[in-house]
Amino acid sequence: MFHTTLFGYDRTEVDDHLRQAELAQARFAEEHDALAARCRELERRLTAAHDQNAELRERVDLLRREPIDAAALQERLRGMLDVAREEAAEHLAAVRAQADAELERARREVAELDHLRDRLRDELERTGVLLTRLESALDEDIKDTASVEDQPPRLVAA
């Protein structure tokens, strides 16, 4: 495993091996602590589930043994209806919040598109003005060129 030297094993190799072993031991200790904490959490949840299961079994047994009179049934149904209404209200509130967020996003997008449209319209107007100026300048250049061509050539003294 280690190379031998004149006085035993190579000290550098042994020291490196010990450092690696210490690092591995530290990693294992961290993993062990994390797994132990996870195990404790799972045990706690399992105990809570067992307790809840026992309570539910007791309630089911009670319901089996005792007949439900009409008034109690009506009260239970009212309670169930109230719970259903609360859940529906919560769901409706969540959907409304989501719809409001989507509407706000759409409004921002419309505002950005309106701004872009306005910028493009302004750019188009500036381009139209420049094009009109260029056409006018070109027309004048053509007139100037035509008037120069209509004049007889001039003699230049040498």
Side-chain angles (χ1 to χ4, degrees), residues 42-148:
L42 290 174
E43 286 174 347
R44 185 193 63 75
R45 289 175 55 192
L46 181 62
T47 301
H50 281 299
D51 293 345
Q52 184 181 17
N53 191 16
E55 290 173 15
L56 290 173
R57 284 181 191 271
E58 288 175 13
R59 288 176 62 188
V60 167
D61 288 342
L62 180 65
L63 290 174
R64 282 185 191 156
R65 281 184 264 134
E66 293 181 11
I68 299 173
D69 66 343
L73 181 59
Q74 194 174 23
E75 188 61 34
R76 282 184 65 195
L77 291 175
R78 262 194 222 112
M80 291 170 67
L81 186 58
D82 289 343
V83 168
R85 284 183 181 147
E86 288 174 11
E87 288 177 359
E90 290 172 3
H91 182 68
L92 185 59
V95 168
R96 282 185 177 151
Q98 184 179 4
D100 289 345
E102 185 66 23
L103 180 61
E104 183 59 32
R105 186 196 61 74
R107 284 181 177 156
R108 282 193 311 269
E109 191 173 322
V110 166
E112 290 173 9
L113 290 172
D114 285 345
H115 179 71
L116 179 61
R117 180 201 59 220
D118 293 343
R119 281 186 25 223
L120 290 172
R121 183 183 301 137
D122 293 345
E123 185 68 26
L124 183 60
E125 287 176 15
R126 284 193 301 273
T127 303
V129 167
L130 288 173
L131 185 59
T132 303
R133 287 180 186 166
L134 285 172
E135 287 174 343
S136 296
L138 185 59
D139 286 345
E140 285 187 28
D141 282 349
I142 291 172
K143 287 179 189 176
D144 289 345
T145 304
S147 68
V148 168

